[in-house]
């Protein structure tokens, strides 16, 4: 290792370590020594590891020396309280901090006090995903899915003397107990990794200093991972609206709820409230839900959700909320007013939490949406300051923040500059039915590759043939005509999110349609349909003017798999009727 | 078209060996493999006939039905019952999510049974239509091979039809068998188990294979007391040992009484039910005893010995890699060949047969990385090698990654049941050799993983895939630390 050139035996002597730590930082650093400082930092870090209970090492008098910066950009040999100070202990921040600590860095992370509702002064270890996002959302999805399962179970011989009723407070109590447990687990994870957790609001003072509620901490690197928060547009009466934070922690069941927005959060909550027997109205500006998703998926999911009782109001933009004397809310849109809502939820986007972080004053550049601008390694415009996760508004998903955090730790503390890889990132929408996808939409694929083959299946799953419910499954493969590579995979229907993950490995690995076809199915599953799609539904060729054809009859008689037919009623219901 | 081609040939007399046949292909047995081979051959232009026994949910020498085991007495009805049974625990789990249900939930077995039968009748009809749409001629009756190019079909009324065919395909599948113990007639097989008039109150299942654990799960899920007896220490011989233990633990956790290393020795009819005796001297009374002790190929009444088609000692038709029997014009696919007895494998064999014989493209079925699932509750699904197989075949070290976790749903429902996932990796090449999972949705999750394994995906490629959050499946791409490393390089290698 590099440090051996610096006579390792001597270096490891405790005296020298102490010397290093206590070097007067204002001393002019000899050029030769400063060139070694890069090798030295991992060494210093390892030394810190020997402290089993790292505590914030705060030496105010050293702060005056902090401004020393070497001209050639190399790190000056100087002491910092921490190698890394992370602001925000959500998915990205915790991941980066833990991994950095595992690589030998001394790390602190600050986070706001726990609350289920986020604000300028409240947050909690675990962040959006654990406290106000993925986890509570999924728990609510589990809870709400039961009403559909009760209906399904009727078809399988189960009977209920009285219609199952839902007790809202039981769910909220059990959900919140789980969130408390998880925030505890996250604290524990940090603690075990040797990361110092500081409760309070972090603010950047200079490129190497963070202020947490009046206390100053210095760090070689600062990581901003403060995430995002729901955004409600400023319309008259917007104070009566709730956002997703509040929607996850309502004290009682909303009897009639309006959800404004057509993105994944809107759809997920529509499914949740609908399943928990609220009357649900969704107001979207566009003609269809889920802008940016594959067009066929957009059509399919909207239709399936409507069949489950959700009322969609398309091309309606909210203009005002009016509270009437009886306490109920009316939503006024460009098309008219809908009355009688107990709750109006806005799922109209999220904004990065970049206010009051001191970013402008240290020169960290933010874009017009308030997101921090970073390079491919997550470095901001200030070399010692980095940012990962939703605050950078790249792909706002927990696993992406995890990837960014892990990559950053490698870049900074393992001498292994690593760029997060944003290709073929799979994702899911936990609507009911859910969506799973990876790769390109058909529209993107045409734009990028021109000539593509599209394989689709739209069938009634085995479960639905018994339950008698109108549930269907839609699946789609998009294949590059030239290379035979599968460049997009989309599914809407039961288990989509779970099914998409394994296929994401295949798509990420650049596998071809031939590879899919060579794989034997698992019978009887829905997923097997993805390996038994034999005939393209259409071939799109840019060269000859988007020659599109439908081969439904061919599909049925000649080549559609038997399995597909078994579960799909393809012949009777899909194509012939 | 096929006929025309043959007629032309006949008229041209260009090839002396191209004698005239009634059919290019005659298939005996219209199950998964037979239907697939028949349809695909017809699509290649062949003139195809197929025969199948009359339909009934319970099979015998003279009863069968278009669709075969999978559709009528296997995968499909089984999965329907698993769906029905899984609701039992689902509904229990609903309570902690705030749902108020009656203390005792009402389940109507007859309703499920009738709907299941309706569904398989519907599918039977779809299969018949598939065949006729493909131009395949269907005969109802028992098929028998009379010569290398000659079949005889005995119809329901006893009349016999005789046809010549250039190629004959045997796709007669298999049937459950009963162990030779006193009182075996009191027990049932999976055929009857799928069509019981009444839901058993106390069921005894004998066998440790997938059929045994599936029925144990079904009946337990619907509220019956279930005792499961098997010969080995763990159920599911042939699967990864660690996963077998997980399945055993889950079955027990769901309230099934496991009796490992125990054989049934005798069944006696009593007033209270069937008295079951074991080789450990235990006795218990059950209203249903299921033998899930294996299946045997349906090769007895086909007259195979007479025409020279060789069978192995289990009665399976011997075939080469292209599914050809010892008689060049006679072929066999599916369970009757006892290679890998799975519907999708029979489909693959049927497809390859059609390609080889009528598509001018000799194709061998590829048995590597065939994924499969056991629909126990919760299910098990695997692809590739078990840890034991990997160690056996390894040249270098084997890395094992495991993840045992509480599924998110259980955090609120309070159900005490862990999901277990496992990847077995070749340390030298980094290739993922095997993947297994036991937990909710395992079969659905495993299909995509199977594509990756089939194509030799490496652990690095798994790791580079971003997770789908929050899902169970994401665990497969986030297994960072190796659970154990098994050194195989020191293993002495011999040629013996």
């Amino acid at each position: 290792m590099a440090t051996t050139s610096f006579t390792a035996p001597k270096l490891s002597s405790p005296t020298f370590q102490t010397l290093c730590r206590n070097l007067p930082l204002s001393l002019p650093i000899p050029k030769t020594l400063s060139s070694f400082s890069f090798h030295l930092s991992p060494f210093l870090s390892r030394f810190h590891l020997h402290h089993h209970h790292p505590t914030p090492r705060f030496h105010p008098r050293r702060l005056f020396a902090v401004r020393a910066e070497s001209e050639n950009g190399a790190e000056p040999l100087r002491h910092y309280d921490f190698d890394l100070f992370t602001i925000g202990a959500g998915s990205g921040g915790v991941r980066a901090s833990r991994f950095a600590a595992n690589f030998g860095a001394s790390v602190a992370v600050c986070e706001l006090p726990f609350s289920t509702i986020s604000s300028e002064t409240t947050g909690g270890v675990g962040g959006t995903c654990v406290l106000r996002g993925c986890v509570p959302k999924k728990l609510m999805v589990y809870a709400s899915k039961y009403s559909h399962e009760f209906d399904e179970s009727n078809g399988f011989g189960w009977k209920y003397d009285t219609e199952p009723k839902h007790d809202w407070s039981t769910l909220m109590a059990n959900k919140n107990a789980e969130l408390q447990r998880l925030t505890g687990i996250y604290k524990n994870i940090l603690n075990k990794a040797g990361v110092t957790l500081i409760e309070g609001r972090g603010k950047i003072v200079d490129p190497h200093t963070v202020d947490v509620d009046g206390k100053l901490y210095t760090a070689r690197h600062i990581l901003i991972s403060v995430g995002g928060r729901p955004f409600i547009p400023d319309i008259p009466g917007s104070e009566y609206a709730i956002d997703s934070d509040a929607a996850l922690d309502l004290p009682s069941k909303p009897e009639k709820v309006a959800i404004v927005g057509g993105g994944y959060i809107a759809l997920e909550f529509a499914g949740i409230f609908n399943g928990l027997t609220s009357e649900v109205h969704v107001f979207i500006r566009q003609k269809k839900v889920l802008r940016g998703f594959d067009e066929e998926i957009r059509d399919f999911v909207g239709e399936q959700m409507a069949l489950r009782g959700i009322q969609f109001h398309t091309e309606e933009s909210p203009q005002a909320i009016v509270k009437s004397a009886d306490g109920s809310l009316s939503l006024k849109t460009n098309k008219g007013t809908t009355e009688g809502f107990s709750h109006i939820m806005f799922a109209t986007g999220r904004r990065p939490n970049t206010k009051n972080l001191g970013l402008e004053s240290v020169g960290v550049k933010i874009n017009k949406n308030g997101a921090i601008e970073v390079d491919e390694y997550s470095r901001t415009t200030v070399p010692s300051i980095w940012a990962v996760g939703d605050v950078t508004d790249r792909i706002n998903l927990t696993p992406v923040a995890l990837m960014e955090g892990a990559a950053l730790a490698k870049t900074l503390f393992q001498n292994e500059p690593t760029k997060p890889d944003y290709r073929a990132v799979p994702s899911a929408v936990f609507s009911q039915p859910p969506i799973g996808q990876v790769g390109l939409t058909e529209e993107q694929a045409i734009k990028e590759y021109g000539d593509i083959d599209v394989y689709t299946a739209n069938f009634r799953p085995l479960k639905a043939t018994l339950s008698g419910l109108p549930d269907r499954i839609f699946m789609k493969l998009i294949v590059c005509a030239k290379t035979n590579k599968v460049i997009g995979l989309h599914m809407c229907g039961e288990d989509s999110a779970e099914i998409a993950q394994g296929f994401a490995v295949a798509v990420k690995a650049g596998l071809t349609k031939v590879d899919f076809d060579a794989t034997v199915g698992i019978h009887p599953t829905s997923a097997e349909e993805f390996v038994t799609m034999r005939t393209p539904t259409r071939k799109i060729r840019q060269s000859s003017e988007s020659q599109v054809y439908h081969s439904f009859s061919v599909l049925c008689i000649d080549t559609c798999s038997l399995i597909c037919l078994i579960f799909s009623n393809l012949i009777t219901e899909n194509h012939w009727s | 078209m096929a006929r025309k081609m043959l007629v032309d040939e006949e008229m041209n007399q260009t090839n002396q060996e191209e004698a005239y046949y009634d059919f290019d292909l005659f298939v005996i047995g219209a199950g998964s493999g037979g239907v697939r081979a028949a349809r695909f051959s017809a699509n290649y232009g062949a003139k195809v006939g197929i025969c199948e026994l009359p339909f009934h949910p319970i099979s015998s020498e003279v009863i069968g039905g278009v669709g075969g085991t999978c559709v009528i007495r296997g995968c499909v009805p089984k999965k329907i019952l698993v769906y029905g049974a899984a609701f039992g625990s689902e509904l229990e789990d609903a309570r902690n999510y705030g749902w108020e249900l009656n203390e005792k939930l009402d389940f109507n077995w007859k309703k499920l049974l009738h709907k299941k039968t309706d569904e398989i009748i519907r599918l039977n009809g779809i299969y018949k239509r598939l065949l006729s749409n493909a131009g395949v001629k269907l005969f109802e009756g028992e098929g028998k091979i009379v010569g290398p190019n000659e079949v005889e079909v005995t119809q329901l009324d006893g009349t016999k039809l005789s046809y010549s065919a250039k190629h004959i395909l045997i796709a007669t599948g298999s049937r459950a068998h009963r162990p030779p113990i006193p009182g075996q007639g009191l027990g049932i097989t999976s055929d009857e188990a799928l069509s019981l008039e009444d839901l058993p109150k106390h069921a005894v299942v004998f066998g440790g294979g997938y059929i045994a654990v599936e029925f144990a799960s079904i009946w337990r899920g619907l509220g019956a007391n279930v005792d499961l007896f098997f010969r080995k220490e763990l159920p599911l011989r042939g699967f990864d040992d660690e996963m077998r233990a997980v399945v055993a633990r889950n079955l027990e956790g769901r309230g099934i009484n496991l009796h490992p290393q125990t054989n049934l020795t005798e069944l006696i009819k009593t007033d209270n039910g069937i008295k079951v005796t074991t080789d450990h001297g235990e006795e218990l009374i059950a209203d249903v005893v299921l033998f899930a002790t294996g299946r045997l190929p349906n090769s007895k009444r086909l007259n195979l010995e007479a025409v020279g088609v060789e069978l192995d000692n289990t009665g399976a038709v011997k075939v080469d890699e292209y599914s050809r029997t010892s008689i060049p014009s006679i072929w066999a696919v599916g369970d009757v060949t006892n290679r890998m007895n799975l519907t999708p494998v029979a489909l693959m064999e049927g497809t390859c047969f059609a390609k080889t014989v009528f598509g001018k493209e000799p194709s061998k079925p590829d048995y590597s990385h065939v994924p499969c699932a056991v629909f126990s509750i919760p299910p098990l699904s695997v692809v590739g090698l078990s840890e034991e197989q990997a160690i056996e075949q390894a040249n270098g070290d084997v890395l094992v990654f495991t993840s045992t976790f509480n599924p998110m749903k259980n955090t609120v429902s309070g159900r005490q049941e862990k999901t277990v996932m496992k990847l077995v990796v070749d340390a030298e090449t980094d290739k993922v050799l095997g993947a297994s999972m036991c937990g909710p949705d395992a079969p659905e999750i495993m299909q995509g993983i199977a594509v990756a394994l089939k194509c030799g995906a490496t652990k690095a490629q798994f790791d580079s895939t971003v997770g789908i959050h929050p899902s169970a499946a994401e665990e497969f791409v986030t297994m960072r630390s190796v659970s154990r490393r098994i050194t195989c390089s020191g293993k002495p290698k011999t040629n013996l």
Side-chain angles (χ1 to χ4, degrees):
Chain A
M1 120 160 247
T3 43
T4 50
S5 63
F6 205 69
T7 51
K10 274 185 194 162
L11 252 178
S12 56
S13 81
T15 332
F16 192 83
Q17 285 170 353
T18 316
L19 187 67
C20 283
R21 295 191 64 215
N22 297 327
L23 267 181
L25 293 172
S26 50
L27 268 182
I29 295 154
K31 213 172 171 141
T32 46
L33 185 58
S34 99
S35 70
F36 278 107
S37 62
F38 178 72
H39 304 302
L40 247 159
S41 78
F43 161 75
L44 281 173
S45 312
R46 238 176 305 119
F47 174 77
H48 287 155
L49 254 192
H50 297 306
H51 294 270
H52 289 295
H53 302 285
T55 46
R57 285 174 292 275
F58 181 56
H59 308 285
R61 63 195 161 81
R62 292 215 184 100
L63 286 172
F64 299 103
V66 152
R67 307 291 182 302
E69 289 258 312
S70 69
E71 288 147 50
N72 60 5
E75 286 282 320
L77 185 65
R78 49 165 288 190
H79 173 73
Y80 297 104
D81 297 328
F82 296 101
D83 295 325
L84 174 69
F85 195 102
T86 303
I87 305 178
S91 304
V94 169
R95 174 58 58 102
S97 301
R98 279 173 61 209
F99 279 31
N102 288 341
F103 295 145
S106 72
V107 184
V109 61
C110 72
E111 176 58 62
L112 298 168
F114 172 88
S115 167
T116 54
I117 312 285
S118 65
S119 71
E120 286 290 312
T121 53
T122 53
V125 173
T128 304
C129 167
V130 176
L131 306 177
R132 287 171 296 274
C134 320
V135 174
K137 171 267 298 280
K138 185 102 191 254
L139 292 177
M140 302 274 281
V141 168
Y142 281 131
S144 58
K145 256 176 75 178
Y146 281 110
S147 57
H148 192 68
E149 286 174 28
F150 299 143
D151 290 346
E152 281 178 324
S153 71
N154 282 325
F156 286 85
W158 294 88
K159 221 173 64 197
Y160 310 91
D161 288 347
T162 50
E163 193 71 8
K165 273 206 197 72
H166 187 256
D167 180 57
W168 190 267
S169 54
T170 302
L171 174 62
M172 287 300 118
N174 288 346
K175 180 212 67 169
N176 286 336
E178 174 60 11
L179 299 192
Q180 288 288 357
R181 191 182 71 88
L182 288 175
T183 194
I185 284 180
Y186 269 75
K187 283 183 183 169
N188 214 6
I189 285 175
L190 288 171
N191 186 33
K192 269 194 196 149
V195 174
T196 303
L197 174 64
I198 300 161
E199 194 171 81
R201 193 168 203 296
K203 191 172 173 175
I204 297 174
V205 179
D206 70 36
H208 292 282
T209 310
V210 178
D211 171 325
V212 182
D213 298 337
K215 280 193 179 175
L216 297 181
Y217 302 89
T218 63
R220 185 176 302 277
H221 300 286
I222 295 171
L223 171 62
I224 307 167
S225 49
V226 292
R229 272 218 307 285
F231 164 80
I232 297 182
D234 190 18
I235 59 167
S238 64
E239 66 274 20
Y240 300 122
I242 59 168
D243 60 18
S244 57
D245 285 7
L248 286 167
D249 204 25
L250 292 175
S252 62
K253 181 185 109 176
E255 289 305 325
K256 181 177 173 183
V257 59
I259 296 174
V260 180
Y264 80 95
I265 297 174
L267 294 202
E268 290 177 342
F269 277 94
I272 287 169
F273 290 130
N274 185 56
L276 295 173
T277 69
S278 305
E279 182 182 334
V280 179
H281 296 254
V282 178
F283 293 82
I284 53 178
R285 270 187 304 197
Q286 316 257 327
K287 277 197 178 118
K288 294 184 194 179
V289 297
L290 288 179
R291 190 158 57 92
F293 282 69
D294 187 274
E295 291 297 324
E296 277 181 289
I297 290 284
R298 295 176 71 184
D299 290 331
F300 184 85
V301 73
E303 198 181 295
Q304 285 284 305
M305 290 180 72
L307 282 171
R308 294 194 188 193
I310 292 163
Q311 299 178 50
F312 286 98
H313 304 255
T314 57
E315 295 179 278
E316 289 200 44
S317 294
Q319 290 176 339
I321 299 173
V322 181
K323 189 167 193 168
S324 53
D326 65 356
S328 74
L329 302 170
S330 306
L331 182 68
K332 185 170 176 287
T333 72
N334 53 317
K335 281 192 180 171
T337 300
T338 315
E339 293 174 340
F341 292 110
S342 61
H343 295 77
I344 295 177
M345 173 185 169
F346 272 67
T348 39
R350 297 172 62 87
R351 295 278 187 276
N353 285 331
T354 42
K355 279 190 194 136
N356 301 322
L357 273 177
L359 298 179
E360 299 81 353
S361 58
V362 286
V364 171
K365 209 168 154 195
I366 57 178
N367 72 15
K368 58 180 189 326
N369 297 324
I372 295 176
E373 285 186 12
V374 288
D375 70 8
E376 287 175 304
Y377 296 95
S378 302
R379 192 190 280 246
T380 71
T381 45
V382 176
S384 62
I385 302 181
W386 311 73
V388 297
D390 289 7
V391 77
T392 61
D393 197 21
R394 286 176 280 184
I395 298 179
N396 298 333
L397 295 170
T398 289
V400 170
L402 296 178
M403 169 172 71
E404 291 168 355
L408 179 69
K410 272 190 189 167
T411 300
L412 291 182
F413 301 107
Q414 219 187 16
N415 278 342
E416 200 184 313
T418 307
K419 298 178 193 174
D421 179 357
Y422 296 94
R423 287 172 306 136
V425 171
S427 66
V429 178
F430 290 95
S431 47
Q432 300 177 39
I435 297 167
Q437 59 160 28
V438 58
L440 305 179
T441 66
E442 183 173 340
E443 298 70 34
Q444 289 167 333
I446 292 170
K447 228 173 169 181
E448 202 163 313
Y449 292 90
D451 294 357
I452 58 165
D453 295 345
V454 180
Y455 298 77
T456 60
N458 181 333
F459 61 93
R460 194 174 184 200
L462 179 58
K463 207 176 195 176
T465 60
L466 270 276
S467 71
L469 299 177
D471 299 349
R472 296 188 74 84
I473 290 180
F474 177 74
M475 286 177 165
K476 181 167 184 174
L477 280 182
I478 299 163
V479 179
C480 173
K482 207 169 117 195
T483 61
N484 194 242
K485 274 190 185 168
V486 176
I487 50 176
L489 180 146
H490 307 264
M491 172 174 178
C492 180
E494 196 175 356
D495 299 329
S496 294
E498 299 289 356
I499 289 170
Q501 182 71 73
F503 288 103
V505 179
V507 172
K508 179 76 193 256
L511 300 187
T512 62
K513 180 65 169 60
V514 171
D515 295 325
F516 274 60
D517 296 346
T519 305
V520 174
I522 298 177
H523 188 64
T525 60
S526 299
E528 67 182 318
E529 196 66 23
F530 273 130
V531 299
T532 53
M533 292 175 147
R534 263 187 302 277
T535 307
T537 309
R538 54 188 170 272
K539 295 183 174 195
I540 294 162
R541 298 290 179 267
Q542 292 305 87
S543 35
S544 57
E545 281 259 316
S546 298
Q547 162 212 350
V548 177
Y549 68 82
H550 293 263
S551 56
F552 283 155
S553 55
V554 181
L555 184 75
C556 279
I557 297 168
D558 290 329
T559 51
C560 182
S561 76
L562 283 179
I563 303 150
C564 155
L565 286 161
I566 293 173
F567 294 106
S568 64
N569 300 349
L570 260 175
I571 289 184
T572 48
E573 293 180 28
N574 187 30
H575 297 313
W576 293 159
S577 62
Chain B
M1 185 186 129
R3 162 163 274 171
K4 183 169 179 292
M5 188 178 73
L6 286 166
V7 169
D8 285 348
E9 278 169 7
E10 196 183 32
M11 279 165 63
N12 293 341
Q13 301 271 318
T14 47
N15 191 342
Q16 264 193 316
E17 287 176 66
E18 283 296 337
Y20 175 82
Y21 296 107
D22 297 325
F23 292 100
D24 296 324
L25 171 67
F26 198 96
V27 181
I28 305 179
S32 305
V35 170
R36 170 61 61 96
R39 285 174 57 220
F40 279 32
S41 298
N43 288 341
Y44 283 122
K47 186 185 177 199
V48 183
I50 190 167
C51 70
E52 175 57 63
L53 299 167
F55 172 87
H56 192 274
I58 295 162
S59 64
S60 73
E61 295 291 353
V62 292
I63 299 286
V66 174
T69 304
C70 168
V71 175
I72 301 169
R73 285 172 297 273
C75 321
V76 173
K78 173 265 300 277
K79 183 107 192 248
I80 288 173
L81 296 191
V82 169
Y83 276 135
F87 283 115
S89 48
E90 277 293 300
L91 300 176
E92 286 304 318
D93 290 353
R95 297 183 202 274
N96 273 343
Y97 279 97
W99 290 96
E100 290 163 1
L101 304 170
N102 309 332
E103 201 51 50
K104 179 106 175 62
L105 293 168
D106 218 19
F107 172 70
N108 184 338
W109 168 254
K110 287 210 163 57
K111 180 172 177 185
L112 178 57
L113 195 69
H114 289 151
K115 293 193 76 165
K116 179 224 66 170
T117 305
D118 287 350
E119 174 63 9
I120 62 174
I121 289 171
R122 189 182 72 84
L123 292 173
N124 172 259
I126 287 184
Y127 266 73
K128 283 186 180 168
R129 218 166 343 147
L130 271 175
L131 287 170
S132 74
N133 284 345
V136 175
K137 174 102 174 100
L138 172 65
F139 301 91
E140 200 167 67
E142 187 182 4
K144 193 169 157 183
I145 298 179
V146 191
N149 299 97
E150 192 82 23
V151 292
E152 184 185 273
V153 180
T154 308
Q155 298 185 101
L156 295 184
D157 60 5
T159 55
K160 293 184 177 179
L161 302 169
S162 205
Y163 293 104
S164 63
K166 193 172 175 191
H167 299 279
I168 296 170
L169 177 66
I170 307 167
T172 49
S174 63
R175 270 212 319 282
H177 93 113
R178 293 155 202 255
I181 61 168
Q184 54 139 302
L186 297 170
I188 59 169
T189 69
S190 55
D191 282 9
E192 294 87 7
L194 289 164
S195 294
L196 286 178
E197 273 305 310
D198 298 298
L199 181 65
K201 286 185 183 64
H202 187 170
V204 161
V205 179
F206 183 33
Y210 77 96
I211 298 174
V213 299
E214 288 176 347
F215 277 99
S217 291
I218 288 168
W219 285 331
R220 182 64 201 142
L222 294 173
N225 289 320
V226 179
D227 283 87
L228 177 63
F229 294 85
F230 46 94
R231 295 185 189 115
K232 302 283 170 184
E233 256 175 79
L234 291 169
L236 297 176
R237 189 162 59 94
F239 284 82
D240 186 286
D241 282 347
E242 191 177 8
M243 302 311 284
R244 293 169 70 191
V246 172
V247 171
R249 197 161 64 228
N250 289 344
L251 294 177
E252 265 185 326
R254 299 259 177 171
I256 295 166
N257 304 312
L258 302 191
H259 304 264
Q261 296 177 297
T262 310
N263 278 303
L264 299 193
T265 50
E266 190 177 21
L267 307 185
I268 299 169
K269 191 170 182 168
T270 71
D271 290 343
N272 303 324
I274 305 163
K275 189 171 95 180
V276 180
T277 314
T278 74
D279 57 358
H280 292 175
E282 293 163 277
E283 284 185 0
L284 46 98
I285 300 285
D287 48 356
V288 164
V289 178
L290 169 67
F291 293 122
T293 42
R295 297 175 65 84
L296 292 176
N298 285 329
S299 57
K300 272 193 198 140
R301 288 163 52 122
L302 288 167
N303 197 34
L304 296 179
E305 295 85 348
V307 288
V309 171
E310 283 179 32
L311 304 179
D312 71 11
N313 54 11
T314 64
V317 177
K318 281 192 192 173
V319 289
D320 69 8
E321 286 176 301
Y322 295 94
S323 303
R324 192 190 283 247
T325 71
S326 48
I327 302 292
S329 60
I330 303 180
W331 310 69
V333 297
D335 288 7
V336 77
T337 62
N338 195 26
R339 284 175 283 184
M340 204 179 269
N341 300 333
L342 295 169
T343 290
V345 170
L347 298 177
M348 170 172 71
E349 290 168 356
T351 305
C352 288
F353 161 83
K355 265 192 191 166
T356 301
V357 178
F358 299 105
K360 298 194 176 95
E361 195 187 321
S363 305
K364 297 178 193 173
D366 178 358
Y367 297 92
S368 69
H369 296 101
V370 171
C372 71
V374 178
F375 288 92
S376 46
I377 302 174
L380 168 72
S381 192
V382 303
V383 59
L385 306 181
S386 67
E387 184 176 339
E388 293 74 31
Q389 289 168 330
I391 292 168
E392 180 68 32
Q393 297 176 19
N395 292 314
D397 291 0
V398 169
L399 304 177
V400 179
F401 297 78
T402 56
S403 175
T404 301
F405 60 95
N406 200 23
M408 191 192 281
K409 194 174 185 180
N410 294 1
T411 60
V412 167
S413 71
R415 176 169 294 282
Q416 298 295 314
E417 189 173 80
K418 303 272 195 235
T419 289
V420 179
M421 287 180 175
K422 181 165 181 174
L423 288 177
V424 179
V425 178
D426 184 317
E428 201 179 325
T429 62
D430 195 43
K431 265 193 189 170
V432 179
L433 303 172
S436 0
M437 169 176 179
C438 184
D441 302 328
E444 298 288 356
I445 290 169
M446 199 56 67
Q447 184 71 73
I449 304 286
V451 178
L453 257 68
K454 180 82 184 175
C455 305
T458 60
K459 182 64 170 56
Q461 283 174 318
F462 270 70
D463 296 345
S464 79
T465 305
V466 174
I468 293 179
H469 189 68
S471 67
E474 68 181 316
E475 204 65 27
F476 269 127
V477 299
T478 54
M479 291 177 161
R480 270 191 314 276
S481 35
V482 67
S483 304
R484 56 186 170 273
R485 182 184 191 104
I486 296 127
T487 307
C488 308
S489 46
K491 199 171 60 181
K493 295 263 178 211
T494 69
N495 290 329
L496 298 173

